[in-house]
Amino acid sequence: MAVLDVEAKDPVAPVWKQVWVLAEDGTWYWGLSDGTFAKGSWVYAGGSWYLMGADGAMMTGLVQKDGTRYYLTSSGAMDTGWARDADGSWYLASQSGALVTGWQKVGGTWYRIDPSSYEMATGVKDLYGWLAYYDTTYQPLWGWYDGVPLC
C-alpha cells in the first residue's frame, strides 16, 4: 500500500516517501519513509494535524487521545475554535486542539459547553439544579421557562 519513488537512482535501495495512502476500502493511512505506517500517533501534514489510530487508519469525529478529547473534521484534520459535526452539534477547541467544557467566553459572549458530551448547550438544560434555556444563538436566556425561573 505504500507509495514507492520509482525514479530512485539506486534500484536496490528504493526511496520511500512520507505520503497519504488510500486503501481499497477508502481508509487513509500515513506512510512513513521506512515503508511502514504511522500508528497511534499524531501526523503533521499540509499544515494540519491528523490522528492515526492504533491500526494506522486516519481518525475522524470526536476522539480521545491520552485523556484529552479532540474534534477531527471529515477530512481528518484537527479543528481549533468552533467546529460543527454532521449532526449539527457544535464543539469548541482550544488553540492546542483540545476540546473545552464549562462556561467559555468567546468574542465577548459566554457559551456553555457540556462537560460530558463536549457539545455546546442548546434548548433546555439542567444547569446546577436550575433549568436554563439556550436560544438559537446558543446563548443562555435569563428569565422564566414554563413557569420556572431560569438561572
Side-chain angles (χ1 to χ4, degrees), residues 54-136:
D55 63 353
M58 181 188 72
M59 301 176 75
T60 61
L62 194 60
V63 299
Q64 186 166 327
K65 171 78 172 153
D66 300 326
T68 302
R69 291 257 178 147
Y70 301 90
Y71 182 78
L72 308 176
T73 65
S74 60
S75 72
M78 180 185 69
D79 227 335
T80 59
W82 289 110
R84 190 172 190 181
D85 68 14
D87 296 329
S89 296
W90 285 93
Y91 302 92
L92 181 59
S94 65
Q95 289 294 18
S96 72
L99 294 181
V100 297
T101 62
W103 284 102
Q104 301 294 323
K105 190 174 186 179
V106 179
T109 302
W110 287 96
Y111 299 90
R112 171 85 174 137
I113 311 296
D114 186 276
S116 59
S117 69
Y118 291 80
E119 296 175 6
M120 181 173 47
T122 58
V124 177
K125 300 288 182 186
D126 183 343
L127 180 63
Y128 309 115
W130 293 81
L131 289 179
Y133 177 75
Y134 297 83
D135 67 7
T136 56

Side-chain angles (χ1 to χ4, degrees), residues 24-39:
E24 289 180 11
D25 67 358
T27 303
W28 286 97
Y29 296 86
W30 181 252
L32 300 173
S33 58
D34 65 1
T36 63
F37 295 103
K39 293 182 179 181

